[in-house]
Amino acid sequence: MNRIGHVCLMATYNEWMNANIYEAAKSLSDEELSVDRKAYFGSILGTLNHLVAGDTIWLKRFAEHPANYSDLEPIRQLPAPKSLNHLAFSNIRDLSAHRVWLDSIIVEWSLSMTEADLDHDLSYASMTGVPSHRSFYGLVMHFFNHQTHHRGQVTTLLSQAGVEIGNTDLVVLIPSEPWLQ
């Protein structure tokens, strides 16, 4: 599998896992989703909001790539999150609708990339203004790894609340037929 194939696989995995997690989370009340469970972002809802904030921040940075991805135009129009723990959505229904929209953009964006795009170095500033210059491919992999990391926290929090989501392994989506790679 080439790098573009891997990026597309990760975008598909991201969309699939988010759909599973949000479906599971909807079995809990807004109050249960907002309980401080002593996680880094407090609650299940807080952690899911963090993922949306983080994704938005990174996608806004990726929108500055010289490839000028048209699929990221809706992201360019969004206000930048003010913090990583901002609760932009106070209920799972609104957050879920936004997540579905965001994931569809991520999938379409992944399909629009080229191998040459991945070889670019991207310059950006952190939320505190610290400048950085890093491999675009490395940053894209970080983007997906960050999502996986926090979804793992959410699956633990859901499990502690008595909600199981089933198989979360990427291997479920990895094609076994060489011609699909």
Side-chain angles (χ1 to χ4, degrees), residues 59-69 72 76 120 122-123:
L59 290 169
K60 287 180 92 50
R61 291 171 181 161
F62 297 158
E64 299 302 314
H65 189 285
N68 194 30
Y69 301 107
L72 295 182
R76 288 182 187 95
H120 183 74
L122 188 70
S123 295

Side-chain angles (χ1 to χ4, degrees), residues 133-144:
H133 187 77
R134 303 202 189 262
S135 156
F136 184 66
Y137 179 66
L139 293 173
V140 171
M141 289 298 97
H142 165 74
F143 172 73
F144 289 119

